[in-house]
Amino acid sequence: MRRNFGMIYLNNAATTYPKPQCVLDAHAAALCTIPAGQFRSAVDKTGKDVFQSCRESLGRLFHIADAQRIYFSFGATDSANKLINGLDFSGKTVITTQTEHNSILRPLMNHPVYKEQLLILPCDSFGKVDIAPMERLKKGEAAALFINHCSNVTGMIQDIGEITRLAREKDIRVFADVSQSAGCIPIDADGWGLDGLI
């Protein structure tokens, strides 16, 4: 006997179809109410500032004790570009991995300064990052590491806590791309000692 399960949508991470009812309700409410600026009377059902409420929820989800450290952007690509182009890593090595998303690899590889000082960590056939080249760096030689927590290509979940411990020994800032893992796999930003989540 053949069962009909309806449509199977394989690109769920990109557009989340079908949308949960709460998302549809929030969208409809946003379209039907008077617009409010970010810092002017945007409140949720309880009368609390929606941006602060969202920061607090994200703080709990990602284990970030100080929710005021959470900033909103247009998305992960925008956040990555702001970090890559907004921080000055001149004169030091910038590290990433060969399995990073193009939103990280392209700006780093095309940056007028960082492309000359870029160290790309290799990965094994399963996508696990080989940190040996990072272990060989001298303390202070590298400024930053951009790494994804979970790859949507290989499915590999990196041990961010262990990688961050090594980075701390070398004075390397760590920026983790959690676009594929957020909400699905536990994230402990403070526990891991991350400098930023993308």
Side-chain angles (χ1 to χ4, degrees):
M1 181 174 161
R2 204 167 177 196
R3 289 186 173 176
N4 183 1
F5 291 103
M7 180 175 63
I8 298 173
Y9 188 77
L10 298 178
N11 198 16
N12 189 58
T15 55
T16 315
Y17 176 83
K19 304 274 188 286
Q21 188 60 46
C22 62
V23 172
L24 298 174
D25 294 343
H27 193 195
L31 292 172
C32 297
T33 56
I34 298 171
Q38 180 176 354
F39 302 105
R40 293 178 297 153
S41 69
V43 294
D44 63 14
K45 288 185 258 184
T46 66
K48 195 174 198 179
D49 176 80
V50 292
F51 296 97
Q52 183 57 29
S53 180
C54 186
R55 280 188 182 93
E56 290 169 6
S57 293
L58 290 171
R60 287 188 297 277
L61 179 66
F62 298 136
H63 296 96
I64 299 171
D66 181 5
Q68 294 307 311
R69 291 173 39 219
I70 298 172
Y71 297 90
F72 298 111
S73 71
F74 294 113
T77 300
D78 180 55
S79 295
N81 276 276
K82 283 181 172 149
L83 288 168
I84 291 167
N85 294 302
L87 297 173
D88 185 6
F89 305 126
S90 302
K92 294 195 175 187
T93 300
V94 176
I95 309 165
T96 193
T97 79
Q98 71 180 84
T99 60
E100 292 312 302
H101 191 275
N102 273 332
S103 63
I104 301 291
L105 283 175
R106 285 184 181 177
L108 287 174
M109 293 174 130
N110 291 304
H111 194 282
V113 175
Y114 308 151
K115 68 181 179 184
E116 303 300 328
Q117 56 199 44
L118 191 58
L119 169 62
I120 300 178
L121 300 176
C123 298
D124 66 17
S125 60
F126 298 102
K128 183 173 182 181
V129 173
D130 178 4
I131 59 172
M134 196 166 84
E135 291 175 317
R136 292 191 286 270
L137 292 173
K138 294 176 186 163
K139 186 173 183 175
E141 188 177 348
L145 165 65
F146 290 88
I147 185 167
N148 63 35
H149 179 217
C150 176
S151 169
N152 66 333
V153 175
T154 66
M156 176 57 68
I157 302 168
Q158 305 298 341
D159 186 347
I160 299 295
E162 184 60 34
I163 292 168
T164 303
R165 275 188 286 282
L166 171 62
R168 286 283 161 260
E169 292 172 13
K170 307 281 185 178
D171 285 339
I172 300 168
R173 294 185 210 164
V174 180
F175 302 97
D177 180 350
V178 298
S179 299
Q180 304 304 322
S181 55
C184 301
I185 300 167
I187 293 167
D188 186 2
D190 286 348
W192 292 338
L194 292 173
D195 294 287
L197 288 180
I198 299 169

